[in-house]
Amino acid sequence: MMMNQQLGAHELMEIHEVLCDTIDGINQFQLYQPHCQDPQLQNILQNQINFMTNEYNSMVNMLSNATASGNIRTTQAKLNVSPTYGLNNPAPNQPNTSMNQMNDHDVASGMLGCAKSSAVLRMHAALECADPQIRNSIVQGAKNCSEQAYEIWQYMNEKGYYQVPTLKDTTAQTFASMYQPTTSFNQQNFQSNQQNF
């Protein structure tokens, strides 16, 4: 593999971390396959493995060519979902004592955790990249991970695996009303300072 010598050492190390994380994610998702019972979850799992594999190959090609090839694919979770809010007798949760106890909830939860941590890792890596094309590709990778996380979260929410606690209406309203729009003072102050130069 021929690498561009113009890339910074720190930048290359961040790309290395992203590629290793992608490999780990693909491997982790493959480990989940035998434990996945729900056909809907099996479909999500396989689609995400395929997507991550394509994204990995695009990143390797980008690194080999030292330029973004424009082949970094994008994903988007379905947007016509209405999340369910509130707690409805959530099931107790505890670690399994054997891998034979793994079920769809465990698989989905592991997928969600992987996608969330990968999104954070990629965004951090992008902030350390100097090359604008590589930076944009890694930012897109972070967005892709966030969409994968939202897709699996939607599944979990629909199945009751991930319930969203809410606050009392008065508490939520009090919290929301704590923040008020700012005045245009700062903009006026900025404009008057520019006139002084």
Side-chain angles (χ1 to χ4, degrees), residues 12-32:
L12 286 170
M13 293 310 298
E14 293 296 341
I15 294 168
H16 165 74
E17 291 296 325
V18 169
L19 289 170
C20 287
D21 178 71
T22 306
I23 290 170
D24 291 344
I26 293 167
N27 292 343
Q28 180 180 336
F29 281 29
Q30 289 174 345
L31 287 172
Y32 290 148

Side-chain angles (χ1 to χ4, degrees), residues 3-9 11-12 66 130-131 134:
M3 289 189 214
N4 183 342
Q5 298 302 312
Q6 298 303 310
L7 297 179
E11 190 170 40
L12 286 170
D131 181 280
I134 291 175

Side-chain angles (χ1 to χ4, degrees), residues 176-196:
S177 66
M178 288 175 20
Y179 300 95
Q180 300 296 315
T182 187
T183 63
S184 60
F185 172 78
N186 290 336
Q187 186 177 10
Q188 290 173 353
N189 195 19
F190 175 76
Q191 289 173 348
S192 66
N193 284 340
Q194 282 189 323
Q195 290 172 358
N196 292 333

